[in-house]
Amino acid sequence: DPYCASQHPTPQMDEEVVIGPAGELANVIVFVKDVPGSYPAPSTPAVLDQKGCHYVPHVSAVQVGQPIEIKNSDATLHNVHAMPEVNSQFNEGQPVQGMVSTKKFDKAEVKPFRIKCDVHGWMKSYMAVLPHPYHAVSQMNGTFSIANLPPGSYTLVAWHEKYGQQEQQVTVGPKEQKQVTFTFKG
């Protein structure tokens, strides 16, 4: 696509594995498994943008029922083909720059699913749909933060598109902060 090529004067790297300067791993979805209770969906939409002919963000987690704004910031045709296993799939074209469509998933999808563009085969993103707000995605420096988790014992899950999934137990007391480290082997 000539438009995509014009957006990147230098070759773009695949985002499957994004590593920080000291070997930190970005784009890991970290979430709490089996949190009791019911949590209303946020009204603030999550955003999935098609910008520079790739999805931004590359990896995300949303809550069941949370609106997801899917944008086309590029002046070329994209299509958004979401492939969840539990929720209904959708495959929608966005031929015009500035187009926005809003979607919601009504069931939990804790195994992240792929979203791809059928027009540009290199474009991919992954999304998890969780029944609660206790999730995060690791940054370039490998850090993540899950705020306001009620006191208790939990299982943390860390998922990466190439390196798989790990679990770790953590107990959090009232007003306590814990540091947890996951190590993925490449």
Side-chain angles (χ1 to χ4, degrees), residues 88-116:
S88 296
Q89 294 189 13
F90 61 85
N91 189 352
E92 185 174 297
Q94 288 191 326
V96 178
Q97 185 174 27
M99 284 186 79
V100 177
S101 62
T102 302
K103 302 290 184 186
K104 287 184 183 179
F105 294 107
D106 59 0
K107 298 177 201 90
E109 192 99 32
V110 296
K111 179 183 176 200
F113 58 90
R114 186 174 179 181
I115 300 170
K116 66 177 185 168

Side-chain angles (χ1 to χ4, degrees), residues 72-93:
N72 181 0
S73 291
D74 289 335
T76 191
L77 166 67
H78 289 303
N79 96 302
V80 184
H81 188 170
M83 300 181 295
E85 293 180 10
V86 177
N87 290 282
S88 296
Q89 294 189 13
F90 61 85
N91 189 352
E92 185 174 297

Side-chain angles (χ1 to χ4, degrees), residues 4 15 49-56 58 71-72 74 76-81 114-125:
C4 294
E15 294 177 289
D49 198 356
Q50 296 160 103
K51 190 172 186 174
C53 295
H54 65 103
Y55 286 111
V56 178
H58 180 66
K71 299 179 177 184
N72 181 0
D74 289 335
T76 191
L77 166 67
H78 289 303
N79 96 302
V80 184
H81 188 170
R114 186 174 179 181
I115 300 170
K116 66 177 185 168
C117 176
D118 292 329
V119 178
H120 305 103
W122 64 85
M123 289 179 62
K124 64 182 176 178
S125 178

